Amino acid sequence: MFKRRYVSIIQQKFQEIIGVQLLSSTFVVCFILYELSNAPVNSKYLQFVLYLTCMMTQVFFYCWYGNQLKLKSVEVANAIFEADWISFDNSSKKSLINVMRRATKPIELTCAYIFTMDLKTFVDILKMSYSTYNLLQRTKES
């Protein structure tokens, strides 16, 4: 119960902030890719590459730790099952069963009420960035 309430408080506070952050980072990555495709290889090119690396690392950390939270929350049930729970009294067993029941549903942080913060989201952001880059390239060619 406490863990669920704690996660909902964190999610409520950061959901919109991280949503805006990820959306803006995605657009920045798209435009950096577009500029990289048009820029000659010089010192400015290196600046674009470094900035792109920083932006992708920033997005990756959000998604990585969201994924880790999800994986670790599922492992709680396995850890309880592997403990010496048979020797516990009935009250403790009932409490552990409730914790295990809750742990079967993973804790997931979401962003902007839409995206789950995990590695799949990171890959989706990369795909969306590349698609936007292709759209910008086609627009330029027209």
Side-chain angles (χ1 to χ4, degrees):
M1 182 79 145
F2 175 73
K3 188 192 306 188
R4 177 185 244 168
R5 188 173 57 224
Y6 182 69
V7 169
S8 69
I9 290 169
I10 289 175
Q11 194 160 329
Q12 182 181 9
K13 300 284 183 192
F14 292 103
Q15 197 157 331
E16 288 131 10
I17 296 167
I18 293 175
V20 169
Q21 173 73 32
L22 284 178
L23 187 62
S24 62
S25 295
T26 302
F27 284 128
V28 167
V29 167
C30 296
F31 291 119
I32 291 172
L33 285 172
Y34 180 73
E35 288 298 320
L36 274 174
S37 67
N38 295 326
V41 179
N42 57 18
S43 63
K44 194 169 188 170
Y45 188 83
L46 180 61
Q47 289 173 347
F48 281 134
V49 169
L50 291 174
Y51 190 56
L52 177 67
T53 304
C54 289
M55 293 303 290
M56 292 309 299
T57 302
Q58 180 180 9
V59 172
F60 178 75
F61 280 139
Y62 283 125
C63 295
W64 172 263
Y65 285 110
N67 193 63
Q68 289 299 105
L69 175 66
K70 184 177 177 179
L71 294 176
K72 294 295 182 185
S73 70
V74 173
E75 289 178 10
V76 169
N78 292 335
I80 291 172
F81 187 75
E82 291 174 2
D84 188 24
W85 57 271
I86 295 174
S87 64
F88 293 168
D89 59 44
N90 284 338
S91 175
S92 297
K93 287 179 185 178
K94 287 179 184 178
S95 296
L96 288 176
I97 287 173
N98 287 333
V99 171
M100 287 177 72
R101 190 176 299 138
R102 170 60 185 104
T104 57
K105 182 183 175 202
I107 297 172
E108 295 179 331
L109 291 177
T110 58
C111 151
Y113 304 101
I114 300 170
F115 302 109
T116 302
M117 299 302 296
D118 58 9
L119 293 177
K120 182 186 176 305
T121 301
F122 180 72
V123 171
D124 290 344
I125 289 171
L126 290 177
K127 287 179 182 178
M128 187 170 71
S129 297
Y130 187 70
S131 297
T132 306
Y133 161 74
N134 281 333
L135 179 68
L136 290 171
Q137 281 293 95
R138 287 186 186 156
T139 305
K140 178 186 161 196
E141 292 171 0
S142 302

